Amino acid sequence: MTDRSLEFDIPLQEIADFRLQMEDIDRSAQNISRSLVSGLRSALVDGKSLESVFKKIALSASSRLLYSALQPLEKAAGNLFDTILPFAKGGVVTAPTIFGLGNGVSGLMGEAGAEAILPLARGADGRLGVRSAGRGQPPMPAVQITVNTQDAESFRRSEAQVSAMVARAVGRGRRGL
């Protein structure tokens, strides 16, 4: 016959959680025991009916059990609301994240790497587009360029000159001139 020993690799956190659960069970058992002893004493000394004593004990125990059963739900609901982050100004999702699309449909983002959330807004023309935060800078003015030529061929010849003029104007705008 060989000597066999069993080894278990249990994380310390699981042991600590188990110990807390056992302490809760022990407290509950002591409370039920105290209620039972107190109820029986009341039945004998005060002349209360045994039926009313057991009803009181059963109500007390069921109340404690219900409270214990609902605690994990309460913690989960609290954690759910603690981890909600608003993205009204945009942001980046770096891990797989499920989000609601409405009508009971869910989407998944961030599953292949970081993804950006961009706030949308309707422009003066009614079109929906990405809203710029601006960060203290005034909005870029619209620039309109009119090119008058005699025909399409002369426009094609002036295309390089017009492109250079636009590039210089954009450069001056960036420098604040």
Short mmCIF file of all heavy atoms in Angstrom, two decimals, residues 145 157-172:
data_model
loop_
_atom_site.label_atom_id
_atom_site.label_comp_id
_atom_site.label_asym_id
_atom_site.label_seq_id
_atom_site.Cartn_x
_atom_site.Cartn_y
_atom_site.Cartn_z
N ILE A 145 -13.46 80.04 -51.55
CA ILE A 145 -12.53 80.48 -52.59
C ILE A 145 -13.27 80.45 -53.92
O ILE A 145 -13.85 79.43 -54.28
CB ILE A 145 -11.29 79.57 -52.65
CG1 ILE A 145 -10.55 79.63 -51.31
CG2 ILE A 145 -10.39 79.96 -53.81
CD1 ILE A 145 -9.43 78.65 -51.20
N ARG A 157 -4.85 74.54 -65.47
CA ARG A 157 -3.51 75.13 -65.42
C ARG A 157 -3.30 75.91 -64.13
O ARG A 157 -2.19 75.98 -63.61
CB ARG A 157 -3.29 76.06 -66.63
CG ARG A 157 -3.08 75.32 -67.93
CD ARG A 157 -2.58 76.26 -69.02
NE ARG A 157 -3.44 77.42 -69.19
CZ ARG A 157 -4.33 77.58 -70.18
NH1 ARG A 157 -4.45 76.64 -71.11
NH2 ARG A 157 -5.07 78.66 -70.25
N SER A 158 -4.36 76.50 -63.57
CA SER A 158 -4.20 77.30 -62.35
C SER A 158 -4.38 76.47 -61.07
O SER A 158 -4.23 77.00 -59.97
CB SER A 158 -5.22 78.44 -62.34
OG SER A 158 -6.54 77.93 -62.24
N GLU A 159 -4.68 75.18 -61.20
CA GLU A 159 -4.94 74.32 -60.03
C GLU A 159 -3.77 74.32 -59.05
O GLU A 159 -3.96 74.44 -57.83
CB GLU A 159 -5.25 72.90 -60.50
CG GLU A 159 -5.77 72.00 -59.41
CD GLU A 159 -6.19 70.64 -59.94
OE1 GLU A 159 -6.14 70.39 -61.14
OE2 GLU A 159 -6.56 69.81 -59.09
N ALA A 160 -2.55 74.19 -59.52
CA ALA A 160 -1.38 74.17 -58.64
C ALA A 160 -1.24 75.50 -57.91
O ALA A 160 -0.92 75.54 -56.71
CB ALA A 160 -0.12 73.86 -59.43
N GLN A 161 -1.47 76.62 -58.63
CA GLN A 161 -1.36 77.93 -58.01
C GLN A 161 -2.42 78.11 -56.92
O GLN A 161 -2.14 78.60 -55.83
CB GLN A 161 -1.51 79.03 -59.07
CG GLN A 161 -1.33 80.42 -58.51
CD GLN A 161 -1.50 81.48 -59.60
OE1 GLN A 161 -1.75 81.17 -60.76
NE2 GLN A 161 -1.34 82.73 -59.22
N VAL A 162 -3.66 77.66 -57.19
CA VAL A 162 -4.74 77.77 -56.20
C VAL A 162 -4.42 76.89 -54.98
O VAL A 162 -4.60 77.31 -53.83
CB VAL A 162 -6.10 77.38 -56.83
CG1 VAL A 162 -7.18 77.28 -55.77
CG2 VAL A 162 -6.49 78.38 -57.90
N SER A 163 -3.94 75.68 -55.20
CA SER A 163 -3.57 74.78 -54.09
C SER A 163 -2.50 75.41 -53.21
O SER A 163 -2.57 75.33 -51.97
CB SER A 163 -3.07 73.44 -54.62
OG SER A 163 -4.11 72.77 -55.28
N ALA A 164 -1.50 76.04 -53.81
CA ALA A 164 -0.44 76.69 -53.04
C ALA A 164 -0.99 77.85 -52.22
O ALA A 164 -0.60 78.05 -51.06
CB ALA A 164 0.67 77.16 -53.97
N MET A 165 -1.91 78.62 -52.81
CA MET A 165 -2.51 79.74 -52.08
C MET A 165 -3.33 79.25 -50.87
O MET A 165 -3.27 79.83 -49.78
CB MET A 165 -3.41 80.56 -53.02
CG MET A 165 -2.63 81.36 -54.05
SD MET A 165 -3.65 82.12 -55.35
CE MET A 165 -4.99 82.82 -54.48
N VAL A 166 -4.07 78.16 -51.05
CA VAL A 166 -4.86 77.60 -49.94
C VAL A 166 -3.94 77.09 -48.84
O VAL A 166 -4.17 77.34 -47.65
CB VAL A 166 -5.80 76.48 -50.45
CG1 VAL A 166 -6.43 75.73 -49.29
CG2 VAL A 166 -6.87 77.04 -51.36
N ALA A 167 -2.85 76.42 -49.22
CA ALA A 167 -1.90 75.90 -48.24
C ALA A 167 -1.28 77.04 -47.44
O ALA A 167 -1.12 76.94 -46.22
CB ALA A 167 -0.82 75.08 -48.93
N ARG A 168 -0.92 78.15 -48.12
CA ARG A 168 -0.36 79.30 -47.39
C ARG A 168 -1.40 79.90 -46.45
O ARG A 168 -1.07 80.28 -45.32
CB ARG A 168 0.12 80.37 -48.39
CG ARG A 168 1.47 80.05 -49.00
CD ARG A 168 2.09 81.26 -49.69
NE ARG A 168 1.26 81.77 -50.79
CZ ARG A 168 1.28 81.30 -52.04
NH1 ARG A 168 2.10 80.31 -52.36
NH2 ARG A 168 0.51 81.81 -52.97
N ALA A 169 -2.66 79.99 -46.88
CA ALA A 169 -3.71 80.56 -46.03
C ALA A 169 -3.93 79.70 -44.79
O ALA A 169 -4.09 80.21 -43.67
CB ALA A 169 -5.02 80.71 -46.82
N VAL A 170 -3.93 78.38 -44.98
CA VAL A 170 -4.10 77.48 -43.83
C VAL A 170 -2.93 77.62 -42.87
O VAL A 170 -3.08 77.68 -41.65
CB VAL A 170 -4.25 76.02 -44.31
CG1 VAL A 170 -4.15 75.04 -43.15
CG2 VAL A 170 -5.56 75.83 -45.05
N GLY A 171 -1.71 77.72 -43.39
CA GLY A 171 -0.52 77.89 -42.55
C GLY A 171 -0.60 79.18 -41.75
O GLY A 171 -0.28 79.19 -40.56
N ARG A 172 -1.01 80.26 -42.39
CA ARG A 172 -1.15 81.53 -41.66
C ARG A 172 -2.23 81.42 -40.57
O ARG A 172 -2.07 81.94 -39.48
CB ARG A 172 -1.51 82.66 -42.64
CG ARG A 172 -0.33 83.22 -43.39
CD ARG A 172 -0.68 84.56 -44.05
NE ARG A 172 -1.72 84.41 -45.04
CZ ARG A 172 -1.51 84.23 -46.35
NH1 ARG A 172 -0.27 84.19 -46.81
NH2 ARG A 172 -2.51 84.12 -47.17
#
